Amino acid sequence: MIEFDVYTLIGFVGMACIIAAYAYLTAKDDPNPFILHGTNLTGAALLTISLLVHTNWPSLVLEAFWAAIAMWGLWKAIRARRKAS
């Protein structure tokens, strides 16, 4: 039987964040980068918490890259906002 603990629940919430961010990107013609990348970063962080307890190394490495790309996207959005003002 599969163990369903709080860390599994945290992982499912993280997964839902990443899926929601992808759906948002697909649905919007001009997505807000703060919503998109912030949701992706939140999802990656939550999945990382889950994966630190229920270790799956390939997935953990994937989440590290996912978080890094999200942080890069947020950094670009902050720079663009500063240039615009």
Side-chain angles (χ1 to χ4, degrees), residues 7-85:
Y7 297 103
T8 301
L9 179 61
I10 289 169
F12 273 112
V13 173
M15 176 202 66
C17 287
I18 290 174
I19 291 169
Y22 186 62
Y24 173 72
L25 174 64
T26 303
K28 296 294 255 180
D29 290 332
D30 188 21
N32 180 322
F34 294 99
I35 294 172
L36 176 64
H37 299 302
T39 305
N40 269 322
L41 183 57
T42 300
L46 292 173
L47 276 164
T48 297
I49 291 167
S50 176
L51 287 166
L52 289 172
V53 174
H54 303 293
T55 307
N56 175 327
W57 287 105
S59 294
L60 193 58
V61 171
L62 172 67
E63 293 313 317
F65 278 102
W66 202 268
I69 292 167
M71 287 187 284
W72 178 34
L74 285 169
W75 177 74
K76 286 179 58 180
I78 291 167
R79 276 189 32 199
R81 180 178 275 179
R82 285 182 183 162
K83 280 185 181 180
S85 59

